[in-house]
Amino acid sequence: MDETTAVRAMSALAHAHRLAIFRTLIAAGPSGLSAGEVARAVGIGATSLSFHMKELDRAGLTRSWRVGRFIRSSVEVEAVRRLFGFLVDDCCQGRPELCGGGLTANAVVCCGQDDNESNR
Amino acid sequence: MDETTAVRAMSALAHAHRLAIFRTLIAAGPSGLSAGEVARAVGIGATSLSFHMKELDRAGLTRSWRVGRFIRSSVEVEAVRRLFGFLVDDCCQGRPELCGGGLTANAVVCCGQDDNESNR
DNA sequence: TTGATATTGCAAGAATTATTGAAATATGGG
DNA sequence: CCCATATTTCAATAATTCTTGCAATATCAA
């Protein structure tokens, strides 16, 4: 993960609607939701959802795929993990004796090692 | 953590200079760095650093305190933990059977339970 | 093919955020 | 008290991002 990628990801989450979309999709799990379902859940219009969903996809935080007339989207769990890692991986320069707890940076997100089939 | 707080935190990190500042401070650990040291490390001017540092402080991601003529800043590790949690805590609606790995959302950052004295 | 549903693209204005240097403030040392 | 260092404030400009409705595209079902 480079800085540009990380900034793009943070920017994608730095918006009330997109954060709500992201959290809605995190809750939905690997099978995701259709654009319409997300728009309804978040309370925004189709145009607005499309705009914001595209931002999340572009940032690599979500993935979208077509199922008939619907576009389903879900969170790219691995990307979230990499993002968290990028933020904190150099914590205390990796010298735990500088810190109290002394854990090396680590971020774990639900849904295991990412891809768990479902209807992708 | 509410949505407004989370958006403010993500916005604070959604900028190349501020992300660099944040990561520099994460690496520095609880004792932090002075504004000048950060500015030099990141390669920006004093005015610019002051502007961006204030954003990080305002977002609650960092804390700053005066030591003589210097202002030192360090990362608020607990705030980072809460932010990560807010992003992923509802993962798969807390129903691990929907996910492969089945972990509940969890984000761990170095430096233990936050405050480890040093020169605060 | 036609109609209905689902989603995206476009364009212009509105709003927010970033950049810059110069001046102002705070502190410690002599 | 005066000077040098460290940081912040101010103000104007520049740049980016958001919002909105409507038209366009894609797919399915009849």
Side-chain angles (χ1 to χ4, degrees), chain B:
Chain B
M1 161 118 10
D2 60 13
E3 187 170 278
T4 302
T5 304
V7 168
R8 193 169 293 156
M10 301 307 293
S11 298
L13 294 173
H15 184 282
H17 290 164
R18 287 194 296 263
L19 189 57
I21 293 168
F22 178 88
R23 300 214 315 142
T24 298
L25 291 178
I26 274 274
S31 57
L33 294 173
S34 72
E37 290 172 316
V38 176
R40 242 166 284 127
V42 172
I44 61 179
T47 296
S48 180
L49 180 93
S50 176
F51 173 79
H52 292 303
M53 197 71 241
K54 190 167 54 173
E55 286 294 296
L56 288 166
D57 280 357
R58 204 170 61 88
L61 291 169
T62 55
R63 164 190 298 196
S64 298
W65 65 100
R66 179 177 284 275
V67 178
R69 286 187 263 199
F70 303 85
I71 304 284
R72 297 190 74 82
S73 304
S74 70
V75 170
E76 285 279 16
V77 174
E78 256 314 305
V80 177
R81 228 183 244 122
R82 282 194 301 271
L83 176 62
F84 285 6
F86 181 77
L87 288 175
V88 302
D89 268 355
D90 291 332
C91 193
C92 297
Q93 309 165 61
R95 288 153 60 194
E97 69 275 15
L98 292 179
C99 314
L103 302 165
T104 59
N106 176 30
V108 182
V109 181
C110 147
C111 301
Q113 284 303 327
D114 200 17
D115 287 59
N116 298 296
E117 68 327 292
S118 296
N119 49 5
R120 294 248 165 120

Side-chain angles (χ1 to χ4, degrees), chain A residues 11-95:
Chain A
S11 298
L13 294 173
H15 185 282
H17 290 164
R18 288 194 296 264
L19 188 56
I21 293 167
F22 177 89
R23 300 215 314 144
T24 298
L25 290 177
I26 274 273
S31 59
L33 293 173
S34 72
E37 290 171 316
V38 176
R40 242 166 282 126
V42 172
I44 61 179
T47 295
S48 180
L49 181 94
S50 176
F51 173 79
H52 292 303
M53 197 71 241
K54 190 168 53 175
E55 287 294 297
L56 287 166
D57 280 357
R58 203 170 61 88
L61 291 169
T62 55
R63 165 190 298 195
S64 299
W65 66 99
R66 179 176 286 276
V67 178
R69 284 185 265 198
F70 302 84
I71 305 285
R72 298 191 73 83
S73 304
S74 69
V75 170
E76 285 279 16
V77 174
E78 256 316 306
V80 177
R81 228 183 245 121
R82 283 194 300 270
L83 177 62
F84 286 4
F86 181 77
L87 288 175
V88 301
D89 268 354
D90 292 332
C91 192
C92 297
Q93 308 166 61
R95 288 152 61 194

